[in-house]
Amino acid sequence: MSAEVADREALSCSRPCTPPQASWFEFLLDPSLLEQHLQGPHPDPSPVQLIVQFLEQASKPSVNEQNQVQPPADNRRNRTLKLMALKAAAHLTWDLKELEKGLTIPVLNMLLNELLCVSRVPPGVKHVDLDLSTLPPTTAMAVLVYNRWAIRTIVLSSFPEKQTKPGPHQLNMMSLVQQEKELTENILSVLREQATDSITVLEGALNIKKDFYIHTLRTLDLLAADPSTANGETESSTAGLRISADHLHCQVHYDLGGIYFQQGCSDPSVYEKAREHFRMARELLTKLDSSASLCCVDEQRLAGYWSACKTLTGASDPSESQHSPYGQISCFMRNHDYGISLYIPLMYVCLCVLNDRDRALEEVCHKLCVCNAVRDALEGGVLSVSFHQLLLKPSKNTISFLLEVCARSMDKEHSSETCKRKMALFIKTVCNRLEDVSLAFMVSSHKLFMELLQDEEKKILMEQMRKSSATVNLSAKPLPSFYDIPASASVNISQLEQQLILSLDPRHIRQILIELQGMAERPFWRVNSKWEVPVDYVNVILAIKDNLTRDLVYILMAKGLHCISIKDFAHARQLFTACLELVTEFSPKLRQVMLNELLLMEVRGHEAGAAEGNMERPPPDLVSRVRGYLEIRIHDLPLRQIVGEECVVFMLNWRENEYLTLQVPQSLVNSNPYIKLGQLIASTCKELPGPKESRRTAKELWEVVVQICSVSSQHKRSSDGRVSLLKQRESSLGILYLFFLQSVDVEAVVITLKELVNYALSLNPNNQSWLCTQADIYFGNQYSAAMHYYLQAGTVCSDYFTKPVPPDVYTDQVLKRMIKCCSLLNCHTQVAVLCQFLREVDYMTAFKALQEQNSHDSMDSFYGYIWDVTILEYLTYIHHKRGEGDKRQVAIKAIGQTELNSSNPEEVLQLAAQKRKKKFLQALAKLYF
């Protein structure tokens, strides 16, 4: 994440008065809030998101006193979280289509196994051995839902899935993605092994004619209150959501059809079973009220399955054959009817022709082209290029067909004056385009020509045709058919340029350039504006005198650099190697340039592999080449800064510290600032395990970093053209300014620090130290964002404030910054509450904050979080003085709580304080997250 993106995210943080997104722990603290949340118009988070959050928290492993990782504990908290996940699914009425859309296979597997558990499905017994008709309704339905999901998942997993490449900031997640992929494969393997049993269970359900019932929020609440009573109720009554037998059978037929269709790839005879199940699903679907359906069948996919099964099994249904475009076209072709009512996509034409071998493809395309042209003419559209090509050399049958279509289109319904004029204009166009005079006279003798054209129009056209007949060369070579019309030179150039843009084969690129150079003399390296080479190399490449060589070098390098940017290192290597062979023949300078770019490609390729989990050390040859580049001594050679930077980073990443600290020539350290910085970093890394007093290099590194960020004492010009002094930024850069002298560009330090912290948090988002540092960065002028990160640092080390925050995280310094943020946000009651968190209560700041009347927080609603009696007494005094009786009563009520009595034992008072601290921090988290 860049600093700019982080800034935008920070600026978008909601102010305390904005309703925040609900968090999972709120529902854990008060489970009654869940139903209210789900019944809202647009719940955020959605039910599916809540399922993920609940199950993720419930499945977190625990750590025992010996610091050993243990399976998730079976405690009240985790049981409550699992129950709430089931309730969220129940709110969706167990719609598998919706659940599959939002949940991964492992999460949905966990959810449905939990459903089996709470539904009292006998453990250790195969589902195929259960008699569903004797089980309680909700138990039987849980078994059916699980087995429906099992075969649906097998089917869905057989579909091809688009593979997405991770971005640069997602590479650290690759190991987690791989773990989830392995878990998914393990689950799919089990489901495939049990597929036969699942099919048997579902086919058995088709013999049960009674209605079924599935768990709702109410029945799940009953289970939580008294499992034995609730299960007894569901056994003997209709406590759950009623699912009619027809509705369930429709679902089951559809799912069984899908699994049989999938199995048909290896056993074609199974397609008959699939077709029968889809037929039953279609019949039942017509009986059901679609508006009352709870778990809708995908009707569009069902129609596709049904059509495919009919084709694969050879079955036909005459009543449906004309409902689809394919069926309509086939029917018209069998009846030799190419009526104007069709506007046919070429895809359907090709399908029909392939299945209707007695008609030639060209004849079919010609007739359809004519039909579409007449329709375009009557609708006032532009005639297609295909139609104009067809008129270059049409057959007599084509013109006869055209006239027939025109006549039929006018005879049916297009009889208005507007349509007549459009048809007349179309006929005139046809006459003017026809070069064969005999065909033109064929059109002019038709009744439409005589009836629709005006006398003057007919006279002009006839005169033109007579002139054409007198000059026509009857021995001229016939024109080719409209499929074989040769392209012009401009079309050839355009096609070759398109191939040049797409090709990644160096030999093919060279051949295309040779052809283009023979057709036109212009710089073809400009064909694609996205072809870019580094500025350092442009002058050297464009100075090449031979045009072909210049274009080839430029394009090969530009394409190679693009391939590197998308991590296509194989093609990049081919392109760069070809370019190296080419320039070696005439330019030692360009040869070294290409060797440098090949080195950078190899470095980036190895780093990309490491990011994907391949931690194999780089080969010695690559390390040696990197050393060679760093020690390069060629004058007048264009060098890219990025190559040197990445070579130094490469050596640091692979801990080549010995070379950087001991073997690199001192003259190189003095002349190359990148190597100097790399040497200091390597030395500091080597000294880290030693005692603090021996870390001399760390001090040198700090001095160099300060020098890098230093600016001259001259005035700097701002973006609006005005001159400003560096010290003018002091007020907006907060605590960071306190670390430097005025000669340091604090703004550059802030940007660098933001990038570093963002990257560190992308690797370890739960590191409280980095979170506090991120908060310190925003403390300068983005106080809501700073509070967000201070609170996040507290949540990760206290399990969302269910445990006390360690004092080394919420130090007095951090707490004072939080107090400052709340004060600048005009949340003065929050300031007073936070003043109690300090080791010594800051009464002066608390009293001053409570005197403020312009407070943006909810004031007296926070009084219940105050445990310091002195502050509460001051509150009663302030409200009495202002005549605010209601608020004074709230403060008096808070003082009157017995657990705050000063005569209580110290441990009671401490417990009261911890209880209020926890609730207050949870309330703040709701506001700032």
Side-chain angles (χ1 to χ4, degrees):
M1 182 188 294
S2 67
E4 291 80 1
V5 174
D7 286 341
R8 287 198 297 271
E9 287 188 357
L11 289 171
S12 66
C13 287
S14 59
R15 295 187 64 83
C17 57
T18 304
Q21 184 191 57
S23 300
W24 64 268
F25 61 83
E26 295 180 56
F27 307 110
L28 184 63
L29 296 172
D30 186 359
S32 63
L33 293 176
L34 180 60
E35 187 170 358
Q36 180 182 350
H37 172 80
L38 292 174
Q39 290 176 350
H42 299 288
D44 184 19
S46 66
V48 169
Q49 291 171 328
L50 284 175
I51 291 172
V52 174
Q53 292 178 21
F54 291 149
L55 293 181
E56 181 183 12
Q57 295 299 322
S59 60
K60 278 189 176 180
S62 57
V63 179
N64 61 14
E65 296 179 355
Q66 288 76 33
N67 206 28
Q68 296 173 329
V69 177
Q70 302 292 321
D74 183 19
N75 53 28
R76 181 181 176 185
R77 171 188 180 273
N78 288 348
R79 287 194 297 271
T80 303
L81 286 167
K82 292 176 183 178
L83 185 66
M84 289 194 294
L86 292 173
K87 291 169 77 172
H91 175 75
L92 296 174
T93 63
W94 303 97
D95 186 343
L96 286 179
K97 188 166 65 173
E98 191 71 22
L99 293 172
E100 289 163 346
K101 190 188 304 180
L103 300 178
T104 61
I105 290 176
V107 174
L108 196 43
N109 180 63
M110 190 188 310
L111 178 73
L112 295 182
N113 272 289
E114 192 61 29
L115 174 64
L116 294 175
C117 182
V118 301
S119 300
R120 301 299 181 84
V121 175
V125 180
K126 288 187 176 181
H127 293 175
V128 73
D129 297 330
L130 296 172
D131 184 356
L132 298 183
S133 61
T134 63
L135 293 176
T138 51
T139 305
M141 193 62 187
V143 173
L144 293 177
V145 169
Y146 177 85
N147 285 280
R148 280 186 55 221
W149 169 75
I151 63 172
R152 287 168 65 97
T153 302
I154 294 170
V155 173
L156 289 174
S157 67
S158 66
F159 295 162
E161 184 177 346
K162 182 180 179 181
Q163 298 295 323
T164 57
K165 292 185 177 181
H169 300 293
Q170 297 173 314
L171 295 175
N172 59 299
M173 299 297 292
M174 288 299 292
S175 61
L176 295 176
V177 173
Q178 185 62 29
Q179 291 176 13
E180 181 173 327
K181 186 177 180 182
E182 292 175 359
L183 180 58
T184 300
E185 287 301 322
N186 291 337
I187 294 172
L188 285 172
S189 177
V190 174
L191 295 180
R192 291 185 185 113
E193 290 176 5
Q194 299 174 351
T196 303
D197 288 353
S198 293
I199 292 172
T200 304
V201 169
L202 294 176
E203 287 182 333
L206 296 174
N207 298 322
I208 302 175
K209 305 304 180 183
K210 65 180 181 180
D211 293 342
F212 290 79
Y213 293 85
I214 195 164
H215 279 300
T216 61
L217 274 74
R218 175 177 174 271
T219 60
L220 291 170
D221 276 333
L222 291 172
L223 284 173
D226 188 351
S228 59
T229 303
N231 196 51
E233 179 182 347
T234 55
E235 287 179 1
S236 58
S237 71
T238 58
L241 177 66
R242 176 180 169 273
I243 307 292
S244 70
D246 281 348
H247 184 85
L248 178 68
H249 290 174
C250 180
Q251 297 286 326
V252 171
H253 279 301
Y254 173 76
D255 295 333
L256 286 172
I259 190 69
Y260 280 132
F261 188 89
Q262 189 251 354
Q263 293 176 350
C265 299
S266 55
D267 184 4
S269 63
V270 182
Y271 285 127
E272 290 286 351
K273 291 184 178 180
R275 183 172 68 86
E276 183 60 23
H277 281 294
F278 287 135
R279 184 187 66 79
M280 292 298 299
R282 294 175 80 245
E283 289 182 4
L284 288 169
L285 201 59
T286 58
K287 297 180 184 179
L288 298 172
D289 180 7
S290 58
S291 63
S293 295
L294 299 172
C295 308
C296 298
V297 167
D298 190 334
E299 296 185 38
Q300 190 174 7
R301 179 166 287 184
L302 175 59
Y305 273 136
W306 176 244
S307 178
C309 283
K310 288 193 302 180
T311 303
L312 292 167
T313 58
S316 61
D317 189 346
S319 63
E320 297 180 351
S321 62
Q322 297 185 29
H323 292 327
S324 66
Y326 177 88
Q328 287 180 326
I329 300 166
S330 298
C331 179
F332 278 112
M333 288 176 63
R334 285 193 298 270
N335 298 330
H336 302 273
D337 184 356
Y338 299 87
I340 191 102
S341 60
L342 285 176
Y343 207 7
I344 304 168
L346 184 60
M347 173 186 70
Y348 294 120
V349 176
C350 296
L351 285 173
C352 293
V353 172
L354 290 173
N355 290 285
D356 203 8
R357 304 284 184 177
D358 62 321
R359 307 195 65 83
L361 174 62
E362 185 170 300
E363 180 186 357
V364 173
C365 289
H366 285 186
K367 290 188 174 183
L368 294 174
C369 182
V370 167
C371 289
N372 291 338
V374 176
R375 177 168 179 162
D376 286 335
L378 292 175
E379 292 181 350
V382 178
L383 298 179
S384 68
V385 175
S386 299
F387 181 69
H388 284 293
Q389 289 177 323
L390 177 61
L391 291 181
L392 290 174
K393 187 62 179 177
S395 65
K396 183 177 179 180
N397 289 338
T398 300
I399 298 301
S400 176
F401 178 78
L402 182 149
L403 293 171
E404 179 189 353
V405 172
C406 290
R408 288 175 59 187
S409 65
M410 296 303 296
D411 288 344
K412 290 180 178 178
E413 55 186 3
H414 303 290
S415 56
S416 67
E417 286 300 319
T418 302
C419 288
K420 288 180 180 179
R421 287 308 304 159
K422 289 179 179 177
M423 181 59 73
L425 181 61
F426 176 72
I427 292 174
K428 282 174 59 178
T429 302
V430 172
C431 282
N432 286 326
R433 293 287 296 170
L434 288 173
E435 295 183 9
D436 189 332
V437 180
S438 63
L439 296 177
F441 278 111
M442 180 177 172
V443 174
S444 64
S445 61
H446 195 272
K447 65 176 182 177
L448 286 178
F449 183 93
M450 305 303 294
E451 294 172 359
L452 299 179
L453 271 70
Q454 299 177 1
D455 292 340
E456 186 64 24
E457 291 175 325
K458 287 186 282 189
K459 182 179 178 180
I460 294 173
L461 282 172
M462 294 298 290
E463 185 65 26
Q464 289 175 350
M465 284 187 285
R466 288 192 187 96
K467 290 180 180 179
S468 298
S469 64
T471 58
V472 68
N473 184 1
L474 299 178
S475 63
K477 182 178 179 181
L479 288 171
S481 71
F482 93 104
Y483 283 110
D484 301 320
I485 294 173
S488 64
S490 62
V491 174
N492 276 334
I493 290 178
S494 175
Q495 291 174 346
L496 287 171
E497 287 178 342
Q498 185 67 19
Q499 293 179 32
L500 184 64
I501 292 172
L502 297 176
S503 179
L504 291 174
D505 182 359
R507 293 181 181 275
H508 189 212
I509 292 170
R510 181 176 181 276
Q511 185 60 39
I512 294 171
L513 282 173
I514 292 173
E515 294 184 36
L516 286 170
Q517 293 282 356
M519 299 173 71
E521 292 187 5
R522 64 172 187 253
F524 289 101
W525 60 270
R526 294 179 177 174
V527 165
N528 189 349
S529 61
K530 294 184 179 179
W531 285 341
E532 295 180 353
V533 301
V535 179
D536 312 80
Y537 303 156
V538 170
N539 292 334
V540 180
I541 296 175
L542 296 185
I544 299 173
K545 295 181 179 179
D546 181 68
N547 292 341
L548 174 62
T549 305
R550 177 201 63 205
D551 289 350
L552 187 55
V553 171
Y554 189 99
I555 293 171
L556 290 174
M557 180 178 284
K559 283 178 174 284
L561 291 170
H562 172 71
C563 288
I564 292 175
S565 69
I566 61 174
K567 294 184 172 55
D568 183 0
F569 297 107
H571 279 116
R573 187 175 291 104
Q574 292 178 11
L575 292 161
F576 278 177
T577 302
C579 192
L580 175 64
E581 292 176 1
L582 177 64
V583 300
T584 298
E585 300 175 359
F586 65 89
S587 175
K589 186 183 296 186
L590 280 175
R591 177 181 180 276
Q592 188 59 51
V593 164
M594 291 312 305
L595 287 172
N596 294 345
E597 291 300 319
L598 274 165
L599 174 62
L600 179 61
M601 181 206 68
E602 297 291 350
V603 166
R604 287 183 173 174
H606 198 82
E607 296 291 346
E612 293 175 358
N614 180 14
M615 300 309 294
E616 183 179 350
R617 285 193 60 80
D621 173 65
L622 180 56
V623 177
S624 176
R625 288 165 59 196
V626 170
R627 291 183 180 184
Y629 177 83
L630 294 175
E631 299 173 12
I632 198 168
R633 291 286 197 286
I634 301 178
H635 296 288
D636 194 28
L637 179 69
L639 296 175
R640 281 215 290 161
Q641 177 177 323
I642 189 67
V643 183
E645 290 177 357
E646 296 206 18
C647 283
V648 172
V649 171
F650 175 83
M651 299 294 276
L652 288 170
N653 282 344
W654 293 103
R655 300 183 182 179
E656 292 290 331
N657 295 335
E658 289 296 323
Y659 172 77
L660 289 172
T661 56
L662 301 176
Q663 299 174 19
V664 65
Q666 188 60 38
S667 58
L668 191 60
V669 174
N670 297 333
S671 62
N672 192 323
Y674 310 116
I675 295 179
K676 173 66 176 176
L677 182 60
Q679 185 186 65
L680 289 172
I681 294 173
S683 299
T684 303
C685 291
K686 287 180 64 177
E687 292 179 356
L688 279 177
K692 291 184 178 180
E693 56 270 13
S694 67
R695 298 180 188 173
R696 295 189 301 270
T697 312
K699 184 178 179 182
E700 293 180 31
L701 176 61
W702 171 251
E703 292 173 351
V704 169
V705 171
V706 171
Q707 289 177 14
I708 292 172
C709 296
S710 295
V711 293
S712 66
S713 59
Q714 298 176 359
H715 294 177
K716 296 188 69 179
R717 188 171 300 275
S718 60
S719 58
D720 59 1
R722 295 178 298 176
V723 175
S724 61
L725 290 174
L726 185 64
K727 67 179 182 181
Q728 291 176 327
R729 290 201 301 268
E730 177 176 357
S731 61
S732 64
L733 292 172
I735 60 174
L736 291 172
Y737 190 85
L738 302 176
F739 290 121
F740 306 107
L741 307 168
Q742 291 182 358
S743 62
V744 173
D745 188 349
V746 185
E747 191 172 347
V749 175
V750 172
I751 292 172
T752 305
L753 191 57
K754 280 184 179 178
E755 291 288 346
L756 176 63
V757 174
N758 285 332
Y759 180 70
L761 287 174
S762 71
L763 298 177
N764 186 1
N766 293 330
N767 185 299
Q768 59 261 28
S769 176
W770 286 116
L771 289 168
C772 283
T773 305
Q774 182 80 299
D776 290 343
I777 292 171
Y778 288 119
F779 180 71
N781 57 2
Q782 298 178 32
Y783 308 110
S784 184
M787 282 296 292
H788 171 92
Y789 285 106
Y790 283 133
L791 288 166
Q792 193 171 342
T795 61
V796 299
C797 60
S798 65
D799 197 9
Y800 284 90
F801 301 118
T802 57
K803 304 171 184 174
V805 179
D808 60 335
V809 177
Y810 277 0
T811 62
D812 272 9
Q813 185 182 32
V814 170
L815 290 168
K816 287 178 181 178
R817 290 174 191 166
M818 294 172 70
I819 290 170
K820 180 75 170 177
C821 289
C822 292
S823 177
L824 292 170
L825 290 169
N826 288 331
C827 298
H828 300 297
T829 316
Q830 296 174 21
V831 170
V833 178
L834 283 171
C835 284
Q836 303 172 108
F837 284 61
L838 297 168
R839 291 182 182 176
E840 292 185 6
V841 180
D842 188 350
Y843 290 111
M844 183 175 295
T845 302
F847 292 167
K848 185 178 179 181
L850 293 174
Q851 290 173 6
E852 296 285 346
Q853 292 184 278
N854 184 26
S855 185
H856 290 173
D857 55 20
S858 49
M859 297 183 68
D860 51 333
S861 66
F862 285 104
Y863 292 175
Y865 303 128
I866 300 175
W867 64 87
D868 188 282
V869 177
T870 304
I871 294 177
L872 287 171
E873 289 175 343
Y874 183 78
L875 270 173
T876 61
Y877 164 74
I878 285 290
H879 290 313
H880 175 71
K881 185 177 179 181
R882 294 175 183 167
E884 296 170 341
D886 293 341
K887 293 181 179 178
R888 180 171 178 270
Q889 287 301 319
V890 175
I892 291 173
K893 183 179 178 181
I895 294 176
Q897 297 177 88
T898 55
E899 57 188 352
L900 297 183
N901 193 318
S902 58
S903 61
N904 286 338
E906 183 62 25
E907 57 268 22
V908 175
L909 295 174
Q910 287 296 327
L911 188 62
Q914 290 299 330
K915 175 183 173 183
R916 285 161 176 76
K917 280 184 180 181
K918 178 183 74 172
K919 289 187 176 181
F920 175 67
L921 291 172
Q922 288 174 345
L924 283 188
K926 288 172 60 178
L927 291 174
Y928 290 97
F929 282 0

